[in-house]
Amino acid sequence: MQTGHVTTPFGRRPMSLALVRGQMAIESPDPDARVEKWKVFRDVCEARERLGIQDRALAVLDALLTFYPDVKLDSNRGLVVFPSNAQLSLRAHGITETTLRRQLAALVDAGLILRRDSPNGKRYAHRNREGEVEQAYGFDLTPLMARARELALMAQEVAAERARFRRAKEALTICRRDVRKLISAAVEEGAAGDWAEVEAAYVDILVRLPRYASRAQVELTLDEMELLREEVLNILEMQFKTENMHGNAVQIDRHIQNSNTELINEFEPSSRNEQDENPVQETHTTSVTQGQGKARSEPIKAFPLGMVLRACPQIADYGPGGRIEHWRELMTAAVVVRSMLGVSPSAYEDACGAMGPESAAVAIACILERSNFITSAGGYLRDLTRRSQRGEFSLGPMLMALMKANDGRNQRSA
């Protein structure tokens, strides 16, 4: 048996250091080891993409194994097979000689077989008087035996990866169906909410999924779609709660009044200049309370909360306990941030009146995310408010741009 040393190819075939390294890396198999050749072949088929070989290379390897007489690879009986190209081509379903040579080279490069070339490049064997092979020149199957355990583990990993991929695609199909039918039902039955924006978010998620997506891309899309489904259900749940609350107007009024105490205090002028700008404090407070009351009596009409937090993660630092789980917490955090950014209460009140309190809070979150590029946060918000009043501004493009920018930074950091 010819193992344990490095051989060079015959003729014009070049020798490379990679081939030397590959031959040196092959350990001499245990003399008592026996490996079923067709089990190893099945493992190679399973892991072929990781090994970088094509289907035709597998056909050639299958043909080579048929020339090994035993079912199990046994180093004591020699692991070199020496068929001619004509015989190999016949057993490999008649592939051309050019293709055969190319696929044999691919098997060598993948570290699955070794060449044991004779002095004249022919494949043959020397036999003793009993007919047993003493010296053979051809293709050595030792790498298959030496790497049998490695190939088996590789095949198991590929199978597990394929199963995870299949489950992720199934989960995405179900989640996509849920979101699509929930949106359709809400629109057909006239449920309150900005379903056009939700539809746009749904379409944007699907557009960014490549046609031939990897498992990581499918799982990322699944996370986004599950988040959107959760937000759709939150909107519908709020709709149902609002309908139930209409039966008790007194309870609604009390809830609105209690929930807006913090916001009313935050909107009160804290300096003489602000008092001069807003001489009628009672009217100012009443308008804010009415705006907030409207927000509580109708479902949220902003973008899904999860999408907002993904586009503007910094706003979560100003929520209770350093996180935001509900729209009320987002609006409370926005009041803190607007004061920190130097946005006057009147500017924020105008934004609430033009956009709605939820969208105004989202605008503050976007401004916080881009605060390094904005000279005057108050002036920027007033400009957004004027454009919103003229129907020339939508939060959608701003949120999408921030979300893509954050995703790009996260991928680079990873």
Side-chain angles (χ1 to χ4, degrees):
M1 184 181 70
Q2 301 182 43
T3 59
H5 64 278
V6 175
T7 61
T8 59
F10 170 79
R12 296 182 179 181
R13 287 195 300 269
M15 186 65 180
S16 67
L17 295 181
L19 290 176
V20 176
R21 187 182 300 110
Q23 293 186 41
M24 288 183 172
I26 297 174
E27 299 179 359
S28 298
D30 186 348
D32 298 327
R34 305 288 186 277
V35 177
E36 186 181 345
K37 64 180 181 181
W38 297 121
K39 181 181 182 304
V40 178
F41 178 72
R42 288 193 298 270
D43 292 338
V44 172
C45 292
E46 190 76 41
R48 69 179 183 85
E49 291 185 0
R50 289 197 183 185
L51 294 169
I53 57 177
Q54 301 175 350
D55 293 341
R56 290 191 175 183
L58 294 177
V60 173
L61 180 60
D62 176 78
L64 283 173
L65 289 174
T66 62
F67 286 98
Y68 189 80
D70 297 330
V71 175
K72 292 187 177 181
L73 299 176
D74 185 353
S75 58
N76 291 327
R77 303 194 60 176
L79 293 171
V80 177
V81 293
F82 39 92
S84 66
N85 283 352
Q87 292 174 315
L88 264 180
S89 177
L90 183 63
R91 294 198 187 183
H93 311 293
I95 63 176
T96 64
E97 185 170 346
T98 302
T99 303
L100 177 65
R101 293 180 184 277
R102 186 167 59 249
Q103 300 308 326
L104 285 170
L107 292 173
V108 172
D109 293 339
L112 297 176
I113 61 174
L114 292 175
R115 294 182 186 273
R116 299 296 182 190
D117 287 347
S118 65
N120 62 3
K122 302 294 184 179
R123 299 173 201 146
Y124 57 86
H126 294 296
R127 301 177 184 271
N128 58 21
R129 292 182 178 181
E130 288 76 21
E132 296 178 349
V133 175
E134 291 183 336
Q135 183 95 20
Y137 299 100
F139 297 104
D140 193 344
L141 303 178
T142 299
L144 286 176
M145 186 172 183
R147 299 180 63 187
R149 179 177 176 80
E150 175 194 349
L151 293 170
L153 293 175
M154 191 181 300
Q156 292 174 11
E157 291 174 0
V158 170
E161 174 76 12
R162 186 181 296 112
R164 287 195 298 268
F165 196 7
R166 183 176 61 253
R167 288 194 294 268
K169 289 193 291 187
E170 291 173 351
L172 177 58
T173 299
I174 294 173
C175 188
R176 176 181 176 179
R177 181 186 65 199
D178 291 346
V179 175
R180 175 68 274 164
K181 292 196 172 185
L182 286 171
I183 294 175
S184 298
V187 172
E188 291 173 2
E189 298 183 23
D194 197 343
W195 298 109
E197 297 290 359
V198 177
E199 175 81 17
Y202 170 80
V203 172
D204 180 72
I205 292 173
L206 294 180
V207 166
R208 287 185 280 111
L209 179 66
R211 182 174 182 181
Y212 300 103
S214 64
R215 180 176 65 85
Q217 291 171 322
V218 170
E219 289 180 344
L220 178 60
T221 302
L222 175 61
D223 291 340
E224 295 177 355
M225 193 64 72
E226 287 179 339
L227 192 60
L228 184 59
R229 179 175 61 183
E230 180 182 348
E231 294 302 331
V232 170
L233 293 174
N234 287 341
I235 294 173
L236 294 175
E237 182 182 7
M238 189 173 294
Q239 163 91 8
F240 302 149
K241 289 182 179 180
T242 302
E243 292 174 354
N244 294 334
M245 289 173 64
H246 280 315
N248 191 342
V250 175
Q251 182 180 359
I252 293 175
D253 292 338
R254 186 183 304 114
H255 179 72
I256 293 172
Q257 185 177 2
N258 292 340
S259 65
N260 284 304
T261 303
E262 184 176 350
L263 285 177
I264 291 172
N265 294 334
E266 192 63 42
F267 278 125
E268 290 180 355
S270 58
S271 65
R272 177 64 59 184
N273 292 336
E274 291 184 355
Q275 289 177 358
D276 292 340
E277 292 178 3
N278 302 279
V280 186
Q281 182 61 38
E282 182 179 357
T283 303
H284 169 82
T285 304
T286 302
S287 65
V288 175
T289 305
Q290 290 174 348
Q292 295 296 328
K294 180 180 179 181
R296 293 300 297 175
S297 62
E298 296 180 2
I300 298 299
K301 292 187 178 182
F303 278 80
L305 179 60
M307 184 174 296
V308 174
L309 295 178
R310 180 179 164 190
C312 309
Q314 295 184 45
I315 192 70
D317 296 337
Y318 301 91
R323 61 183 181 180
I324 292 175
E325 297 180 348
H326 307 286
W327 277 99
R328 173 59 55 189
E329 294 176 351
L330 176 66
M331 291 188 286
T332 301
V335 172
V336 177
V337 172
R338 76 95 189 144
S339 178
M340 182 190 71
L341 294 176
V343 177
S344 67
S346 61
Y348 189 54
E349 178 188 358
D350 292 343
C352 289
M355 308 178 189
E358 296 84 12
S359 294
V362 174
I364 288 292
C366 291
I367 292 174
L368 173 64
E369 203 68 25
R370 293 184 53 83
S371 57
N372 293 338
F373 307 97
I374 297 175
T375 304
S376 173
Y380 189 82
L381 181 62
R382 287 191 183 278
D383 179 64
L384 296 183
T385 300
R386 287 191 293 268
R387 291 166 55 192
S388 180
Q389 290 170 340
R390 297 194 300 266
E392 300 174 353
F393 170 70
S394 172
L395 283 168
M398 182 183 293
L399 280 175
M400 294 303 174
L402 287 173
M403 189 161 55
K404 291 178 181 178
N406 287 334
D407 289 346
R409 285 195 294 269
N410 292 337
Q411 290 177 0
R412 288 193 295 270
S413 62

